Amino acid sequence: MNADFENGYADDPNWCAENARLCAETGVAGLSIEDAADRKESPLYDVDLAVERIHAVREALHGTNCLLVGRAEGFLVGREKLDQVIKRLVKYSEAGAECLYAPGFKDRDSNKAIVDAVAPKPVNLLIGGPGGLTMRHAEEIGARRVSVGRIRSRGLGRIHPFAKELMEQGTFDQLKHGASYAELQKLFAQT
């Protein structure tokens, strides 16, 4: 499991690193460190401070099996364009990030440019949603990791009719629209 560790819950590189070390002790397989200070105002850290934070976290994770994902939020929060985001990702890679992630780009060409810029390091690609990039697209452009982001809540939203029926009527009629236990077992056996 990967921890979406936001900004490491600290601005200071040393505190960010300590928080990441504690997170890694829980046994997570990876954690991502964002370069946005918070999601409400979305100020980006100065690139030098952002690089220092990635480097400090890399040092704190030394000797663990925890993958460090360097995450550039500039495009997602409307502050940077593709070329600026790529420059950040390259610097995060050089500072020790083992995987790079720049959510928000929905088109194939931008994502391909990101993959090419940080190669041979892997890129995490945000995919999903009607008409968006698919798993096949991710594979074709060379992304080696994918996230589905908020799309999972839409999938979980499919349980809404069942939950509503159960709460309001105490019945289970909506279950007749779901997959059987055997079908789900077969599906998961394929992965």
Side-chain angles (χ1 to χ4, degrees):
M1 177 171 295
N2 187 75
D4 181 355
F5 212 56
E6 301 195 13
N7 73 334
Y9 302 98
D11 296 322
D12 179 83
N14 294 320
W15 281 109
C16 180
E18 177 62 10
N19 292 341
R21 184 189 65 75
L22 293 170
C23 180
E25 285 182 4
T26 69
V28 297
L31 62 84
S32 57
I33 298 293
E34 299 175 6
D35 60 3
D38 75 40
R39 293 186 179 212
K40 291 181 183 172
E41 298 297 322
S42 300
L44 295 177
Y45 292 112
D46 171 78
V47 70
D48 291 334
L49 177 59
V51 167
E52 186 180 346
R53 290 163 39 80
I54 293 290
H55 181 74
V57 170
R58 176 70 270 144
E59 290 294 313
L61 296 179
H62 181 74
T64 71
N65 290 323
C66 186
L67 178 84
L68 174 57
V69 180
R71 189 167 157 158
E73 302 287 296
F75 184 78
L76 185 65
V77 300
R79 301 276 197 267
E80 293 184 325
K81 298 202 180 301
L82 177 62
D83 62 330
Q84 296 165 303
V85 169
I86 286 175
K87 285 177 185 174
R88 282 181 176 262
L89 290 174
V90 168
K91 288 184 179 207
Y92 300 164
S93 174
E94 292 168 352
E98 299 156 293
C99 181
L100 293 305
Y101 186 18
F105 294 99
K106 297 182 189 300
D107 66 288
R108 183 184 179 107
D109 292 342
S110 296
N111 283 295
K112 177 73 169 133
I114 291 168
V115 168
D116 291 346
V118 299
K121 293 213 177 158
V123 169
N124 190 94
L125 185 63
L126 179 62
I127 65 170
L133 295 176
T134 65
M135 290 295 287
R136 177 170 287 151
H137 294 133
E139 182 180 8
E140 288 171 356
I141 66 173
R144 302 214 335 253
R145 203 168 178 233
V146 296
S147 296
V148 294
R150 292 185 181 146
I151 191 123
R152 69 183 177 275
S153 64
R154 287 189 234 159
L156 292 173
R158 303 268 323 238
I159 68 168
H160 180 263
F162 165 71
K164 185 174 182 184
E165 175 193 2
L166 182 61
M167 289 173 26
E168 293 177 357
Q169 299 168 11
T171 59
F172 299 88
D173 293 337
Q174 287 292 322
L175 287 179
K176 67 184 174 199
H177 303 293
S180 71
Y181 179 79
E183 290 172 311
L184 291 174
Q185 290 302 311
K186 185 178 177 183
L187 174 68
F188 289 119
Q190 294 173 6
T191 58

